[in-house]
Structure formats: structure tokens, C-alpha cells
Amino acid sequence: GNATLPEKGFNQFWLDFDSKANIFGFYGYSISNIFQLEFLNVGSFAENYLRNNNSLSTKGTFFSKGNFHNRFGGKLNILSPWRGDPFWLSTRVTLGRDQKSVQGYTFAELLGRFSLYDLNLNINPKFSWNGVENITGIGIGIDYKLNKKLSLIKEFNYNLSYKEENNNTFSV
């Protein structure tokens, strides 16, 4: 994730799947140049792949085989180089529910982006509040823009609550 938003009136779609058959999708619409409404953010894990995954934990509740998540919310831009600020800063808040456990949650992140030509550094503290326990982490990424529609993105997510569950991603 990053702090930028598509311009007013633009749609944004993405689909994410991996070698373990986990699948996620997103649809957002920018109702202004500073606010994107997140209409659809869905996903499902195909298998239990996290360690220490018992049913009374956050991992057992939200990351178990056959679950299905849906979220709704938005992203608000606070600072932008377009308005003379030195970097991008946005916040994103979504409300979600895991349909298998019927457990709700709130996810929030503060999205910071520092740009130098076609190279961007993203720093994103993340928080999740739910009825089981609260989770915190930070995402750090580098985004290299190849052209107007294509980027190479390397991101590392450091889980402050479960240090053994860190992950990293390379995306195009």
C-alpha cells in the first residue's frame, strides 16, 4: 500500500493470488482528489499456513482454511506534493468481517511515501482491532515506476505482535 490516490472519478482494481491458492481482490473509487472509497476488499486463505494457529487466537480466527473476509472503508490524503508538501501522507480505515467466524474487526494504517524521481519509499504503520486481540505492524517498501501504469514493488511487513509472522512481497 502507499499514500497516493487515483484522481477524482477514477476506479482502481487489483487481484492478488499466490502459490498457496490464497486469493484477494479490491475495488475502490476516488470520489475526490483526496478521498478514495473502498467499496470491496475481499479475500480468502486456502490453507492454515501460520504457525501456532489455534481457534482462540487472532490467527486461528482470521487466517484459517476456507475463511472469507470482506472490508469496507476509505483512504484520506492528508499531505501531498501536489499541494506543496514535502511528501505524501494518507490514512486508511476499514471495517471488516471474517464470514467463517463472524468476527468483525477494524483495520487502520498511516501511509507515508517519500519520492525521488521514479523511486518511492513507503513506510506504513498498521493496526488491527478486533474482539480477540489487537495486532500492530509496519510495512516498508520500495516502489520503482517503470512507466505510467507499471511499477516494481518490494515490500517487507514486520509484525510487531507476532515477530515470527513477518512477510515480504515482490509485485509488478
Side-chain angles (χ1 to χ4, degrees):
N2 68 63
T4 63
L5 287 110
E7 293 178 33
K8 178 182 178 179
F10 276 76
N11 296 296
Q12 185 176 29
F13 299 93
W14 58 257
L15 181 64
D16 178 17
F17 57 92
D18 64 23
S19 62
K20 296 183 184 203
N22 302 312
I23 187 164
F24 300 90
F26 172 88
Y27 168 66
Y29 178 76
S30 293
I31 61 173
S32 74
N33 287 336
I34 65 166
F35 187 74
Q36 180 185 50
L37 195 55
E38 192 170 307
F39 283 108
L40 183 66
N41 189 329
V42 296
S44 182
F45 289 94
E47 61 181 76
N48 294 334
Y49 69 93
L50 298 174
R51 295 177 287 279
N52 303 322
N53 192 2
N54 69 62
S55 61
L56 300 176
S57 71
T58 296
K59 292 184 282 183
T61 301
F62 296 102
F63 300 102
S64 61
K65 182 177 181 176
N67 68 348
F68 180 77
H69 294 264
N70 58 299
R71 295 191 318 201
F72 174 81
K75 182 165 45 168
L76 175 68
N77 178 251
I78 300 166
L79 300 174
S80 165
W82 293 348
R83 296 190 304 270
D85 300 311
F87 57 89
W88 291 90
L89 183 65
S90 295
T91 186
R92 177 174 167 234
V93 178
T94 58
L95 303 175
R97 179 169 300 279
D98 174 69
Q99 297 303 322
K100 184 176 180 183
S101 66
V102 195
Q103 178 65 48
Y105 60 95
T106 301
F107 176 80
E109 62 184 328
L110 189 62
L111 304 140
R113 173 174 259 202
F114 306 90
S115 298
L116 182 62
Y117 302 104
D118 292 332
L119 187 66
N120 300 294
L121 173 64
N122 300 310
I123 301 174
N124 309 332
K126 305 166 190 244
F127 309 95
S128 178
W129 297 274
N130 60 68
V132 181
E133 64 183 323
N134 299 324
I135 304 292
T136 60
I138 187 165
I140 300 170
I142 295 175
D143 180 338
Y144 179 72
K145 193 173 199 172
L146 295 172
N147 60 41
K148 193 170 185 167
K149 294 187 178 189
L150 195 61
S151 295
L152 300 175
I153 303 167
K154 176 66 178 162
E155 184 176 60
F156 177 74
N157 287 300
Y158 184 74
N159 189 327
L160 297 167
S161 301
Y162 292 98
K163 292 178 177 53
E164 72 277 5
E165 302 297 349
N166 300 327
N167 66 66
N168 63 78
T169 306
F170 178 74
S171 304
V172 178

